[in-house]
Structure formats: structure tokens, C-alpha cells
Amino acid sequence: MDLSRLLDAPLIAGPLPTTVTVVGAVAGVALLVGRGRRWWLWSVPVAAMAGAVAVGLVLLVMAVFRPFPDPLPPRVLVWIGVVVAAFALAAPTLRRRWWRAGTAVLAALLVLATGAIKVNAVYGYRPTLNAALGLPFSNQVDLADVPAAPLLAASPAGPLASAWTPPADMPRRGRISEVTVPGTVSGFAARPAWVYLPPAYLTSPRPRLPVLELVAGQPGGPEDWLLAGRLAEVMDSFAAAHAGLAPVVVVPDATGSDLANTLCLDSRLGNAETYLARDVPDWAAANLQVAPGPLAIGGFSFGGTCALQLALRHPDTFPTFLDVSGQAEPTLGDRPSTVAAAFGGDDGAFDQVTPLSELRRRTYPALHGTLIVGRDDDTYRPQAEQVAAASRAAGATLALVELPAGHSWSLASQALGAALPWLAGRLGILAPVPPPS
């Protein structure tokens, strides 16, 4: 196997995670067997207790500090306990001969690797070895190195695809670029954003492609859509089936740091709403040769909630939205904490900007949205059903789609691919098509 194939090896399922799991299981057994009576009566119970204490401390931190609103799945908690117990089992051997101590530490590290693989599989956070190592993207360019080009004459009627013939020298893949999108109006201190440019954008003359603004989850950052959501791969696949055409995708920072949570609102936590609804579209219009007019907005988890909020509060800017596993309202874990942190305890001010309140007060006859949620997601699926019912009652055209998955980046990637034909139809690239079903 060459290096590139190894780096592209999947970490969610396949030979590599299976091999690591088997080796980790053997290492875990090795930590247990071949010991005396005192080992089983003392060391093993102490190790098990250490694992249980570690899980308890994690739950305490989650309850007190709320680093992110989503609860940890039971499988993640179990693996935290198993890994801590493995190192507790290895600890007594450190006073023995070096080879025994080294073997025990190696076994604990192999259990740690297995735990990391299993936790990663729960979230689908790093789908390949290349993503886990954080290596540079092979398709990355500096936006300044993408020259301006003459623009294709606008089609008098019909979708862009009907007036587009790809040139022979069009690249087969799109390009991604890390960019700075300043908070000119909002004052929001954002981290770098990412832009995906489809193959058709890299041609001359250049078609005016529409923009999809895509928001990542929390905790994390914009690069998660590239690494965990496999954005470029999904978009390239769509473009390959449509003569290089696809939306230009801008992935901005909506939180300011990995663990911050702005609720995607203008509040004491920062002016994230103005940044995403004003600064990002303004930057795209000024720095990219894209189609004028409305954008589409989408996102996963926190980003899905954000997409819903922005579409409801700025329907002229975002008349089309994709909400993947979002919530019915933004939260820091519970409503009292959320209202206190964002609005100084003013529950009425918070209620004015929540999605369900917006849907009770206003009608949205021109708004089109798709909600996609995992069939096995018992936390977010009921919330999606609630939002869908309220949106339809407010006059929005809305589809609710359940996919056979849980709450993971694997779902986000699958959902984006499934929704792209509908999004492209709404954005004028293709003739209108129904939402995914």
C-alpha cells in the first residue's frame, strides 16, 4: 500500500479500525491475565474504580462548566472509563523491570488507540487517517492565486446548466482556500474561514455561481466541514455529475474559538448573527466572482440551528436553508444558563429571537427549507419534528428527512450530498427538483 492510500484509509469502518480494535482488545486482555491473587483482589478493583471516578469527573465537568450543550453518549463515557482503567492497571508495573513496565505501558497505549477509534466512530469526526493527522490539503490554494476571469454572459432564462459548456481544460477537482473574513459591521472576532471553489469557477470565462454559506458544529471550527464533513469530496462528486457546476461554499467561523458558543445571535456573547448575515455575504460579493442576490445557508448540529435562525431572521438574505441535526432553539445546556449568559437574565429578550417564537409571530411564504436528522437520534429528531410542524404552520415550504444514522459528522456529509440537487435547483444551477426524501 502506498502512502497516499494509507493516509486515505477510513477510520470509521474498514481494515484499519478493525485491526486497531483487535490489537487493542488483545492488549487489554494482556493487562489482566497472568497475575496472582492479590492482583485480582486489589489492583483490578482499584483500576475499575479509577475508571468509574474518571467518568464521574467528566460528568461533573459537563454539568458544571457546560463546555458544549450536547450530552456525551454512553459509549463515549464507557470508553473513557476503559482507557483510564487500562492505565491504572499499567501503573503498578512501572516499579518492575523495564521490559515489563514498557510492555504494560504499550498495552495501555493500544487500549487508548482503540478508545480513540471508537469515540471517533461515534461522532464521525475524523473519517480518514489523513484527517486525524491534520495534514495539509492536497487541493488547497491561496485565493490570491486564483485570477479574476471574464464572466460568462447570463442566460436569458432557465437554469445556469442550460447555458454552460465546460471547457476542455477545466480541472477535474475544485479547490479550497483559507481566507480571512473580517467582522467589518459586526466587530466579531472570527477565526479564518474556508472557501470551496468548484471546477467551473476555475475556468475562463467563468460562470457566476451562487453561494452556499455553511456553518460547522460546536465544539470545533470551520475546518470540521473539510475534515469531518468531507466537504470538498462531496462537492467534487456533485460537480463531476453536473459539468463542473456546484455552489461556491463559504464556511465561516460562528463561534470565535473551539469551545465558545455564541448561540449564533447578537448578544453579550458576540455579534455572530450580524457577522454571518451581513459581513460574510458582503465579503463573498466583494472578493468572489459569484452570482448576486440571495444565498443559501446550511449547517450541522450547532450549525444547523444557526442555519434555521438565520433563515428565519434574515429570509431575504437566506430564503433557502439546510438544517442538519439542529436544535429547536440555541442553548448553552439549559435555558436559565443560556438567558443569563447571553441576555443578562432577560428571558423575554431571548424568547424574541428563538426559532419557535419567530415562527409563531411571522409568516414565511417564500422560505424553503430542508431538515435532515438521524433516525436513531433520539435527542434531535423530536426537535426537528417540532420545528417542521411550526415552519409549515408559518407558511414555509419545508421537508423533513430522516436518514439511517445518529448524530454524527457521517450524517452531515451524507445529508449535504443528498440535499445538493435540491439546493442547486433553488440556487438556479439546475432546474428545480424536490427535496431529498
Side-chain angles (χ1 to χ4, degrees):
M1 178 182 294
D2 60 41
L3 181 59
S4 62
R5 290 183 61 191
L6 177 62
L7 292 175
D8 287 336
L11 288 181
I12 307 301
L16 181 57
T18 299
T19 300
V20 172
T21 299
V22 171
V23 172
V26 172
V29 172
L31 284 170
L32 289 170
V33 301
R35 308 300 175 97
R37 186 168 179 267
R38 176 178 172 79
W39 175 263
W40 288 99
L41 292 178
W42 175 253
S43 297
V44 172
V46 168
M49 186 177 297
V53 169
V55 171
L57 288 174
V58 169
L59 290 173
L60 180 63
V61 169
M62 291 291 296
V64 174
F65 296 103
R66 303 275 189 181
F68 44 91
D70 301 332
L72 290 177
R75 281 183 293 171
V76 172
L77 295 172
V78 167
W79 277 107
I80 290 173
V82 168
V83 169
V84 171
F87 278 93
L89 286 173
T93 66
L94 297 179
R95 294 174 294 179
R96 302 194 177 189
R97 295 182 179 180
W98 68 267
W99 61 270
R100 291 195 65 178
T103 300
V105 170
L106 176 60
L109 289 173
L110 290 171
V111 173
L112 172 62
T114 302
I117 286 283
K118 294 300 185 182
V119 171
N120 183 61
V122 171
Y123 294 105
Y125 192 56
R126 291 294 181 260
T128 65
L129 186 59
N130 186 77
L133 296 174
L135 297 178
F137 299 105
S138 61
N139 58 342
Q140 185 173 346
V141 298
D142 191 322
L143 187 61
D145 293 335
V146 181
L151 293 171
L152 187 71
S155 175
L160 177 59
S162 65
W164 166 250
T165 301
D169 61 349
M170 183 182 70
R172 296 180 60 186
R173 300 171 63 203
R175 298 290 183 267
I176 60 171
S177 182
E178 188 177 28
V179 298
T180 298
V181 180
T184 305
V185 178
S186 65
F188 184 68
R191 293 171 290 175
W194 287 89
V195 173
Y196 167 82
L197 304 173
Y201 188 93
L202 306 172
T203 63
S204 181
R206 174 172 294 158
R208 278 191 178 271
L209 297 169
V211 174
L212 166 64
E213 191 174 325
L214 207 54
V215 184
Q218 189 276 339
E223 69 280 357
D224 288 346
W225 262 114
L226 297 168
L227 294 168
R230 311 186 82 161
L231 173 65
E233 181 180 325
V234 172
M235 301 304 297
D236 281 346
S237 178
F238 178 85
H242 298 90
L245 296 172
V248 170
V249 184
V250 180
V251 188
D253 178 28
T255 58
S257 67
D258 281 350
L259 292 180
N261 188 337
T262 62
L263 305 175
C264 202
L265 295 170
D266 288 349
S267 74
R268 294 183 177 190
L269 302 175
N271 293 333
E273 179 183 335
T274 297
Y275 178 72
L276 296 169
R278 176 73 184 274
D279 289 326
V280 174
D282 286 354
W283 178 90
N287 292 273
L288 301 170
Q289 292 180 286
V290 293
L295 293 71
I297 183 76
F300 166 63
S301 193
F302 164 90
T305 314
C306 190
L308 172 66
Q309 292 171 226
L310 290 171
L312 294 178
R313 292 181 56 75
H314 304 273
D316 293 337
T317 303
F318 303 112
T320 302
F321 74 93
L322 171 65
D323 174 357
V324 182
S325 294
Q327 297 163 304
E329 74 175 32
T331 180
L332 298 177
D334 60 66
R335 186 173 253 240
S337 299
T338 303
V339 174
F343 293 98
D346 188 344
D347 194 74
F350 177 67
D351 194 61
Q352 285 292 311
V353 295
T354 61
L356 294 178
S357 294
E358 295 277 8
L359 290 166
R360 284 193 296 266
R361 289 196 311 271
R362 302 172 61 181
T363 58
Y364 294 90
L367 185 63
H368 291 248
T370 293
L371 304 178
I372 300 182
V373 68
R375 192 172 299 149
D376 301 326
D377 189 347
D378 294 333
T379 299
Y380 292 93
R381 179 173 40 77
Q383 296 183 62
E385 293 168 352
Q386 185 181 17
V387 169
S391 298
R392 290 167 181 151
T397 301
L398 193 127
L400 174 60
V401 180
E402 294 183 8
L403 297 179
H407 190 82
S408 70
W409 272 104
S410 301
L411 168 71
S413 181
Q414 183 184 356
L416 178 60
L420 270 174
W422 168 75
L423 285 168
R426 286 285 303 159
L427 290 169
I429 295 176
L430 305 178
V433 298
S437 58

